[in-house]
Amino acid sequence: MARFNFQGEPPTEEKEDVCSLTLAQNVIAGRWKIIILWYLSRRTRRFNELQRLLPGISKGILTRQLRELEEDGMVHREVYKQVPPKVEYSLTQQGKSFIPVLNTMGEWGKKYMEIKQNE
Amino acid sequence: MARFNFQGEPPTEEKEDVCSLTLAQNVIAGRWKIIILWYLSRRTRRFNELQRLLPGISKGILTRQLRELEEDGMVHREVYKQVPPKVEYSLTQQGKSFIPVLNTMGEWGKKYMEIKQNE
DNA sequence: CGGGATCCCAAACGATACTG
DNA sequence: CAGTATCGTTTGGGATCCCG
């Protein structure tokens, strides 16, 4: 059954899509977040490990991106009370549910790279 | 056959993933780009139409985001030489190949929204 | 109608020094 | 080791005005 929209008013379904995409956009906004999520999708990582994996990132900004991902419920932070300190970062259930997005995005990126190289 | 990596050196495969994800990150970086791509995925849109769909965006910034998407080969800009001017934006083939990412991201966002509401 | 040009501001990023 | 605190810089977004 066709759906009519007077004056091009957007249907509710579209609004929902826009809303959820905006939400996703907010969560992954940040220069390093997608890559951080991807590294954590492979295994748990320590702070220093992440810093080594992310070339050129400073401790301050890495801390902030991780804190924001934590606030958004994507990342779990496990502190081991010992000296020297040890902190491990991993994906929460919600963070893990984001992995399909990373995969789709990665596949797209690969094709995109090939095309760019053949230009 | 197992793969050995001395001192945790990342395998080539991982580097490729990181590289392609970084590429994707660069393309979608920008507050409105994901939403713009999504609106264009549904149909061709005129400039003013996009501005109405994106609440609060100014002409200047909308122009810039569209130009960047154009430079990245995601969006096609069709100018009709007439008065008053008419410009239509649509997805290129490469832009269309990004739709699966938008879909996956949208699905994730919907689940994420439900969870947040039940908290 | 679809911009371009300019200015301004806030946020994001980054470098450095210090700390338990 | 894993931060915090501070500061400086850069980038991006937004507002405004002008134009063909």
Side-chain angles (χ1 to χ4, degrees):
Chain A
M1 181 175 162
R3 192 209 286 244
F4 292 91
N5 287 293
F6 184 61
Q7 289 291 344
E9 191 172 289
T12 312
E13 187 194 330
E14 287 204 0
K15 284 194 178 176
E16 206 178 285
D17 285 348
V18 171
C19 190
S20 58
L21 279 175
T22 302
L23 192 64
Q25 141 75 18
N26 288 333
V27 171
I28 63 175
R31 180 164 173 193
W32 306 97
K33 286 187 186 169
I34 291 176
I35 305 298
I36 289 173
L37 289 173
W38 182 82
Y39 275 124
L40 294 184
S41 76
R42 312 220 78 192
R43 75 186 74 100
T44 292
R45 312 273 188 175
R46 295 184 60 171
F47 185 86
N48 250 4
E49 196 181 353
L50 283 173
Q51 197 182 5
R52 269 184 291 106
L53 290 169
L54 274 30
I57 195 174
S58 69
K59 293 186 178 199
I61 187 62
L62 175 55
T63 301
R64 244 184 31 207
Q65 307 248 326
L66 285 168
R67 290 289 183 285
E68 289 172 11
L69 286 171
E70 207 187 338
E71 284 171 25
D72 287 329
M74 304 292 283
V75 163
H76 171 69
R77 178 167 174 262
E78 183 75 30
V79 183
Y80 296 85
K81 290 171 186 171
Q82 60 183 50
V83 179
K86 173 181 172 183
V87 178
E88 282 186 345
Y89 292 91
S90 57
L91 292 189
T92 59
Q93 270 317 110
Q94 189 165 107
K96 287 177 186 169
S97 74
F98 193 76
I99 293 179
V101 181
L102 296 174
N103 290 334
T104 316
M105 207 179 291
E107 285 169 30
W108 177 85
K110 274 180 195 171
K111 277 187 291 183
Y112 184 78
M113 284 176 65
E114 288 171 13
I115 293 167
K116 286 288 153 184
Q117 284 171 355
N118 295 339
E119 280 180 2
Chain B
M1 181 174 165
R3 190 208 288 246
F4 293 91
N5 285 294
F6 184 62
Q7 290 291 346
E9 190 172 291
T12 311
E13 187 195 330
E14 288 203 0
K15 283 193 180 179
E16 208 178 283
D17 285 347
V18 171
C19 190
S20 57
L21 278 175
T22 302
L23 193 62
Q25 141 75 20
N26 288 335
V27 172
I28 63 175
R31 178 164 173 194
W32 305 96
K33 287 188 184 167
I34 291 176
I35 304 297
I36 290 173
L37 290 173
W38 182 82
Y39 275 123
L40 295 183
S41 76
R42 312 220 78 192
R43 77 186 72 101
T44 293
R45 312 272 188 177
R46 295 185 61 173
F47 184 86
N48 249 4
E49 195 181 352
L50 282 173
Q51 198 182 3
R52 269 185 290 105
L53 290 168
L54 274 31
I57 195 173
S58 70
K59 292 187 177 197
I61 187 62
L62 175 56
T63 301
R64 234 172 53 196
Q65 307 249 324
L66 285 168
R67 289 291 181 283
E68 288 172 12
L69 286 171
E70 206 187 339
E71 285 171 25
D72 287 330
M74 303 292 283
V75 163
H76 171 69
R77 178 167 175 262
E78 184 74 30
V79 182
Y80 296 86
K81 290 169 185 170
Q82 59 182 52
V83 179
K86 172 179 170 184
V87 179
E88 282 186 344
Y89 292 92
S90 57
L91 292 188
T92 60
Q93 270 317 109
Q94 190 165 106
K96 287 177 186 170
S97 74
F98 193 75
I99 293 179
V101 181
L102 296 175
N103 290 335
T104 316
M105 205 180 292
E107 286 170 28
W108 177 85
K110 275 180 196 171
K111 277 188 291 183
Y112 183 79
M113 284 175 65
E114 289 173 11
I115 293 169
K116 287 288 156 186
Q117 284 172 355
N118 295 338
E119 279 179 6

